[in-house]
Amino acid sequence: MARIIVVTSGKGGVGKTTTSAAISMGLAKKGHKTVVIDFDVGLRNLDLIMGCERRVVYDIINVINGEAALNQALIRDKNCNLLSILPASQTRNKDALTQDGVEKILEELSKEFKYIVCDSPAGIETGAHLAMYFADDAFVVTNPEVSSVRDSDRMLGILASKSRRAERGEEPIKEYLLLSRYSPERVKSGEMLSLNDVQEILSLHLLGVIPESKSVLTSSNAGTPVILDEKSDAGQAYADIVARYLGENKPQRFIEDKTGFFRKLFGGR
């Protein structure tokens, strides 16, 4: 049976789609057949980050409406044949997503894929609700700023009360924290919340910290998930996150102020 992962947050612009692309690619690179679904109907950014925007012919709404078979809409990733992408529609209304339609798609995908990654839009609209409704695991992406953390806390309440698991009285969705765009230097100067501050507010299991990195933008513009940039801090951080999710013991990185460490090492203040 497939494991359904929702990548979510309460606030836009925190790195959900970057995370969805990286996590799904990481799982596939580890040998697990994976599909990533874009639930952001009307905007559709996942295909850009995955570098397959020119190959989109059919989308999730076409499948729900019976205008195309699921296999016609799935796009095989160019970098890894174990990864497929199901794009969102750019022209339809968000209400075109239906619970029955999404459930049928997930049931069909579960027969073929080990992991189904759902890239949720921000907020609590229809797409966001359906992206998380059927989830087994939730990757809650937040930035180290008060508004982002507060909105993520709100999403935790929705995950706990409005999922299929909650309605059926089953084991709750497993929730993991991914702290993105983290800069220990800016934390030290008081510009950002610290990791401890965020964990104290959200009380979530920390899956990983993704540092502020130019490589994220560079990779996105190139249509390549940043996890494939193995030399970048962000790429390494996402690789660590995938490994931890799969049960490997990886120490947390990118949470210390390196400049401060080296100043101390060489006798500075």
Side-chain angles (χ1 to χ4, degrees):
M1 193 68 181
R3 195 80 183 167
I4 300 173
I5 302 167
V6 62
V7 179
T8 186
S9 76
K11 190 173 183 287
V14 300
K16 285 188 301 296
T17 301
T18 296
T19 296
S20 297
I23 294 299
S24 56
M25 177 62 74
L27 290 168
K29 285 288 187 180
K30 286 281 192 179
H32 303 290
K33 199 167 185 186
T34 303
V35 58
V36 57
I37 307 173
D38 190 348
F39 276 84
D40 204 352
V41 174
L43 291 178
R44 202 180 83 189
N45 290 318
L46 181 66
D47 55 303
L48 292 170
I49 290 179
M50 303 297 290
C52 64
E53 68 277 8
R54 294 179 184 175
R55 294 160 59 198
V56 176
V57 178
Y58 297 110
D59 55 56
I60 188 172
I61 303 301
N62 293 133
V63 177
I64 287 174
N65 290 344
E67 298 158 355
L70 181 56
N71 283 336
Q72 288 179 286
L74 287 174
I75 301 169
R76 185 72 59 85
D77 185 78
K78 60 188 177 185
N79 294 298
C80 182
N81 62 10
L82 289 178
L83 178 60
S84 296
I85 300 101
L86 180 57
S89 171
Q90 213 167 10
T91 57
R92 305 294 182 97
N93 188 286
K94 290 174 171 47
D95 294 330
L97 281 172
T98 65
Q99 186 165 307
D100 287 344
V102 170
E103 184 172 16
K104 287 176 184 176
I105 286 174
L106 292 175
E107 284 177 355
E108 196 168 338
L109 291 173
S110 293
K111 298 172 186 175
E112 184 180 352
F113 294 92
K114 176 74 180 291
Y115 291 103
I116 301 172
V117 179
C118 302
D119 180 25
S120 172
I124 53 173
E125 61 186 31
T126 302
H129 172 69
L130 291 175
M132 66 89 180
Y133 180 76
F134 299 98
D136 300 306
D137 301 320
F139 287 9
V140 180
V141 184
T142 189
N143 293 157
E145 56 183 60
V146 172
S147 61
S148 180
V149 175
R150 182 189 61 197
D151 288 347
S152 292
D153 199 27
R154 183 185 183 197
M155 287 306 300
L156 293 177
I158 295 171
L159 286 166
S161 61
K162 291 192 173 182
S163 67
R164 182 169 66 173
R165 284 175 170 270
E167 288 179 0
R168 293 179 174 180
E170 297 175 350
E171 183 182 346
I173 295 172
K174 288 186 178 178
E175 299 161 344
Y176 302 92
L177 173 64
L178 275 69
L179 188 57
S180 60
R181 296 178 183 163
Y182 193 72
S183 168
E185 294 84 4
R186 293 178 66 190
V187 169
K188 192 173 182 180
S189 67
E191 297 175 50
M192 284 183 173
L193 295 175
S194 70
L195 174 58
N196 288 338
D197 291 335
V198 176
Q199 286 186 296
E200 193 173 315
I201 296 167
L202 298 179
S203 300
L204 286 182
H205 174 75
L206 178 67
L207 203 55
V209 172
I210 302 106
E212 275 192 314
S213 175
K214 292 179 181 177
S215 62
V216 172
L217 182 59
T218 303
S219 295
S220 296
N221 288 338
T224 307
V226 70
I227 197 170
L228 295 178
D229 183 359
E230 297 175 0
K231 294 181 180 179
S232 72
D233 283 357
Q236 293 170 29
Y238 277 117
D240 286 352
I241 286 167
V242 171
R244 289 190 199 101
Y245 175 70
L246 294 174
E248 294 180 39
N249 187 16
K250 290 274 185 181
Q252 292 289 347
R253 299 192 279 171
F254 315 113
I255 59 177
E256 300 294 336
D257 183 352
K258 292 179 183 178
T259 58
F261 170 78
F262 284 113
R263 277 198 299 269
K264 289 177 184 176
L265 190 65
F266 293 106
R269 291 185 178 179

